[in-house]
């Protein structure tokens, strides 16, 4: 079938704190509610596999997919173990689709590999949204790494190749760009106090302008500003996840609509939201 659901999603660890720690109970309920709405849409669309562009699976060369047939384990963040720990997970993978995507990316002239290595785990850019959106593990999961040294154009081309592979697969696929808007963390001495605030008015205004462009469907203008936006606003892994998403949606040829599922919110200095894009 092809891509039947597309979204930009948050994965901030404060969501897990909101879900599991009494002290922080409810602070990210709007994000969890947004996940729930995306889950409802995914089930209604018949999503069979989620492909997640994960800005916490950061690679240095080429494009990589986790093609393991099964994903299972218990995750604790090495980055923020006091915020996100002991998350049990178990999902079916989609080895065939991962290999098809890697083949198509290579055919487009870029390097790509699909890995079934038993020791390859999952990062919380995939695990946290999947915990809620894929509750009940009704769909398979293919994590896709973001390359910290690849350009916006390279990510967009890889996204376009991915869409061609998905269309050829016959799968009903949901694609999720898992990453922030602006991504300037507070420095260490301010990080704990800044859990619910944004680092910098410039970043806030840039994020809000992007959301306006999305709401108005002004895709060429947004895409023209994306490289500068990523650079000036400390884009998470260069906003490669967003470039992959819009590459998969058709880049400047995209004519769809954006729907905010979670209103814009700050977390530990960064700007966050959940937004779906019609396909």
């Amino acid at each position: 079938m092809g891509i039947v659901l597309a979204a930009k999603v948050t994965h901030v660890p404060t969501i897990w704190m909101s879900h599991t720690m009494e002290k922080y109970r409810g602070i990210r309920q709007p994000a969890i509610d947004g996940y729930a709405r995306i889950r409802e849409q995914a089930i209604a669309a018949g999503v069979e596999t989620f492909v997640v562009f994960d800005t916490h699976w950061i690679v240095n060369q080429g494009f990589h997919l986790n093609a393991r047939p099964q994903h299972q384990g218990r995750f604790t963040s090495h980055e923020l173990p006091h915020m996100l720990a002991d998350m049990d997970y178990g999902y079916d993978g989609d080895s065939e689709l991962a290999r098809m995507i890697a083949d198509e990316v290579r055919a487009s002239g870029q390097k790509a590999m699909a890995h079934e290595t038993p020791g390859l785990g999952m990062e919380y850019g995939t695990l946290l949204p999947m915990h809620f959106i894929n509750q009940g593990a009704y769909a398979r999961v293919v994590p896709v790494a973001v390359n910290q040294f690849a350009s916006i154009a390279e990510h967009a081309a890889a996204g376009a190749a991915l869409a061609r592979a998905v269309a050829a697969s016959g799968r009903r696929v949901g694609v999720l760009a898992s990453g922030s808007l602006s991504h300037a963390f507070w420095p260490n001495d301010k990080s704990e106090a800044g859990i619910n605030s944004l680092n910098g008015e410039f970043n806030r205004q840039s994020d809000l302008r992007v959301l306006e462009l999305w709401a108005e469907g002004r895709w060429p203008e947004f895409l023209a500003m994306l490289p500068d936006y990523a650079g000036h606003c400390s884009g998470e892994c260069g906003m490669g996840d967003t470039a992959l998403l819009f590459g998969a949606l058709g880049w400047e040829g995209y004519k769809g609509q954006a729907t905010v599922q979670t209103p814009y919110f700050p977390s530990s200095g960064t700007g966050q939201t959940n937004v779906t894009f019609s396909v």
Side-chain angles (χ1 to χ4, degrees), residues 13 16-17 20-21 75-87 124:
W16 191 246
M17 296 164 68
T20 63
M21 301 181 188
F75 179 83
T76 293
S77 168
H78 64 275
E79 179 187 11
L80 295 161
H82 62 300
M83 288 184 166
L84 203 170
D86 298 328
M87 176 188 287
Y124 76 78

Side-chain angles (χ1 to χ4, degrees), residues 22-279:
E22 198 57 43
K23 178 180 178 181
Y24 299 99
R25 185 76 63 184
I27 65 167
R28 295 291 178 263
Q29 192 59 46
I32 294 171
D33 292 343
Y35 283 155
R37 285 187 283 272
I38 296 171
R39 180 178 184 271
E40 291 172 359
Q41 292 177 29
I43 291 172
V47 168
E48 298 170 297
T49 299
F50 284 107
V51 174
V52 185
F53 309 137
D54 187 337
T55 52
H56 272 264
W57 184 13
I58 301 171
V59 295
N60 301 335
Q61 297 179 356
F63 292 94
H64 297 260
L65 300 96
N66 188 330
R68 290 183 60 184
Q70 296 286 329
H71 308 288
Q72 192 159 5
R74 171 173 285 190
F75 179 83
T76 293
S77 168
H78 64 275
E79 179 187 11
L80 295 161
H82 62 300
M83 288 184 166
L84 203 170
D86 298 328
M87 176 188 287
D88 292 316
Y89 65 92
Y91 303 104
D92 290 335
D94 195 336
S95 303
E96 181 184 23
L97 179 61
R99 289 191 295 267
M100 289 181 69
I101 292 169
D103 288 346
E104 187 62 31
V105 174
R106 284 195 298 271
S108 74
Q110 301 197 74
K111 295 178 180 179
M113 298 178 70
H115 305 273
E116 297 185 47
T117 308
L120 182 61
M122 298 174 80
E123 296 294 332
Y124 76 78
T126 298
L127 288 171
L128 211 156
M130 282 294 94
H131 182 85
F132 297 95
I133 296 172
N134 199 10
Q135 183 181 356
Y138 59 88
R140 292 167 286 196
V141 181
V142 174
V144 178
V146 178
N147 187 314
Q148 65 179 329
F149 298 117
S151 66
I152 292 290
E154 287 174 301
H155 280 98
L162 179 145
R164 292 193 295 272
V166 168
S169 72
R171 302 277 200 281
R172 301 179 69 88
V173 171
V175 291
L176 305 180
S178 180
S180 70
L181 296 175
S182 63
H183 197 68
F185 278 98
W186 287 113
N188 183 59
D189 62 340
K190 298 180 180 179
S191 59
E192 187 171 356
I195 192 172
N196 292 315
S197 60
L198 194 85
N199 187 355
E201 190 59 30
F202 179 84
N203 284 0
R204 183 193 310 276
Q205 294 302 328
S206 299
D207 289 345
L208 293 176
R209 179 57 176 161
V210 162
L211 290 174
E212 285 180 358
L213 292 174
W214 288 1
E216 296 168 8
R218 295 164 68 176
W219 309 116
E221 291 170 68
F222 165 68
L223 295 169
M225 73 174 280
L226 180 55
D228 286 335
Y229 177 42
H232 294 309
C233 295
S234 307
E236 189 169 15
C237 206
M239 296 188 181
D241 64 314
T242 301
L244 281 162
L245 176 66
F246 278 91
L249 290 174
W251 204 246
E252 287 190 358
Y254 179 60
K255 304 297 183 184
Q257 296 180 326
T259 302
V260 173
Q261 303 297 339
T262 297
Y264 179 71
F265 68 95
S267 181
S268 303
T270 70
Q272 304 293 330
T273 189
N274 287 313
V275 177
T276 50
F277 299 89
S278 62
V279 293

